[in-house]
Structures are given as C-alpha cells and as structure tokens.
Amino acid sequence: MRVIVADDDPDTRVLNMRAIAHEIPDLDIVEVADPASLEQALSAAPDLLVTDYDLRWTDGFQILTRVRDAHPHCHAIMVTGTGNEDLAVRAMKAGFDDYIVKGRNQLKRLGLTARLVLERGQTQRALSENRDLVLAELYHRLHNNLQIVISLIRQTEKTLRDAADRQQLADLRQRIQALSSLQEQFYRSPDFRRVEFGAFLGELAERLSALAPIPVTLVAEIEAVELPVDVAVPFGLLANEIITNAVQHAFSDEAQGGRMRVRLQRQGDRCVLTVEDDGRGFESGLRSQPAGMGLHLVERLAQQIDGTVNIEDTHPGTRVSVGVAL
C-alpha cells in the first residue's frame, strides 16, 4: 500500500512516517513538502493521505482536494495543532476519515489510526467487489430470463388468428425487448448505478426502424449521455413507445418512403430526446390522443422521472420531445 505524508516541517514528516511504518510494515511512504513533490507523489495512486492542516504553501483541505481529484478513492487523515470542534467538523465534512490533534500521544495515535483507516478501506473495497459480482450475476440472469419471456411471447403470437391480438402481443414483446437491451447495457457498464443511454438508444432506433412497413431512412444524432438506472428504465420504455409509434403509424406511401430523425442531446442540465418524422402527422381531432402512440403510457413514464413531453404537428410529420433532468 502507498501512503502520502504531507508536512512542510521535515522533522515532523520523519516522525509521522516512522509512526505509520512502525504500525504498518512494508508500506511505500512518499514525502510531500511542496507543490512539486505533491504532483510527483500523485503519479501513482495512494491508499492514504496524511497531511498537516497548516502548511506554508497551502492547507490540508487544498491538498485533499488535489489528491481526490486525481485519485477519488484515497483515504485521508488530518494532523493539526488546532484542536477546536469547528475545524474537526469541517475536516470530516470535507472527506477526511479522521482528525488528530498534535500532542503527547500524537504519534502513537497516528500509527493506530492509519492502520484502522487502511483496514476499513480494504474491507469496503472487498464488500464493493462482492456487491458488483452479485449485481453482475443478477443482471445476467435477468437478461436471460427476459429473453425466455420474449421467446414464449413470440411462440404465442404464432398461434393467434386475430391480427389485433397478435399486434398487442407484438407490442408487449417489443417493450420487453427494450428492457432486455437496457439490462445488457447495465451489464456492460463499469458502474451498475448508471448506464450509457446513448448506446442503448442508437441500437433501439436501428432495430425499430428496420420494422417499418415501408423503407425508412433513419438519421441518428445521439450524444453519449450517462443516466441513473432509475431514470434510464422509464426513459428507455418511453423512447420505445415514441419510436414504435412513428414506425407503425407515421408512414403509408411505400413509393415515397419515409425519414425519421432520432436525437439525444444535453441542453444545460437536461437530457432531451427528440423523435421527428416526415409522415402524415396527426389526423383531425386526434391531437390529444395520437393514434397508436400509447400517449397515456408515455405520460405515466414521463411522470416517474419528472420529465416533460411536447408533441407538435410539423406539416408534414410529427415531432415528439421528452426532457429529463440529468
């Protein structure tokens, strides 16, 4: 393990390093006395930062910020001669694991605290790794189970004689397929709490546009946007409904074909999905309930993520935009 000891007093640095090394053998301890040595120390990831509060060229809070910018998972201990509660509270809020006041038992406590902080960090990493393994396995099994459900629905579709019933099952199958595609993105993601939504949307748009009853030219303008899982799932189902509606109901002239634009972009602190087609648009009297769109489902999904839905006649065609907070 690697430890950075930052102090502008060389004697204090040596005493602190000896105290830590005595408690935890076989450490790689790096001294930091000035900005240049700090930058050099950050060339490799540290496990622990031990820093004085008041240095001539900076303070412990600034050092912690610099270290965490480069290596976010580094633990930290502040050592200071100012033993007041306000500073202690400020240090803990800033992210220090512990706070040691200089004094008679300073060195003994420093060594013990460093060992406890590092051991706690190892335990947390082990728990995190185990959690990630469990989540990966759960996502994998759920993806497989969804594929089985999709296969069963497809087999049931073939047994139905009524075209409307078959279409309802096909729509249900497509919604589950969208969920399955999102699960695959979760499985690929290094952080199971977030998903790269742009990659999912691009695959979804390509797959659905290929199902159009006439040739449709897809224009995809999709930015890479990471979303939390609890936003990505409703947003993904919502995107599926909007694109499916355009594919199934917007186009009718096979000779002319059609064009559909799917755009995902950041607009300030929001993520905006826009699906636009050059099809026949809304029929008269159906502005509040576009045919085949499943508007009720779209609005319910948007409410789950505090999203806004805007539907426009563009003459020709329709533009649907949905915005959610990032």
Side-chain angles (χ1 to χ4, degrees), residues 13 32 39-40 78 84 93 111 113 181 184 188 193 204 207 237 255 270 280 289 303 312 315 320 324:
R13 281 201 311 274
V32 166
E39 294 304 315
Q40 186 176 1
M78 176 179 282
N84 62 69
K93 285 185 175 180
T113 301
S181 298
E184 189 172 357
R188 294 176 185 173
R193 295 167 298 182
L204 179 71
R207 185 173 69 250
L237 290 173
R270 297 182 67 78
R280 55 193 174 195
Q289 293 183 348
Q303 288 173 4
E312 304 172 77
H315 305 293
V320 182
V324 296

Side-chain angles (χ1 to χ4, degrees), residues 9-62:
D9 183 342
D11 294 333
T12 301
R13 281 201 311 274
V14 170
L15 291 174
N16 288 344
M17 292 166 61
R18 286 178 180 173
I20 297 170
H22 178 75
E23 187 69 32
I24 316 169
D26 302 323
L27 283 179
D28 177 17
I29 303 180
V30 181
E31 297 181 66
V32 166
D34 50 44
S37 57
L38 175 60
E39 294 304 315
Q40 186 176 1
L42 294 177
S43 60
D47 297 283
L48 176 64
L49 165 69
V50 177
T51 179
D52 191 18
Y53 164 58
D54 187 14
L55 295 85
R56 285 189 295 269
W57 49 282
T58 188
D59 63 38
F61 294 103
Q62 295 296 322

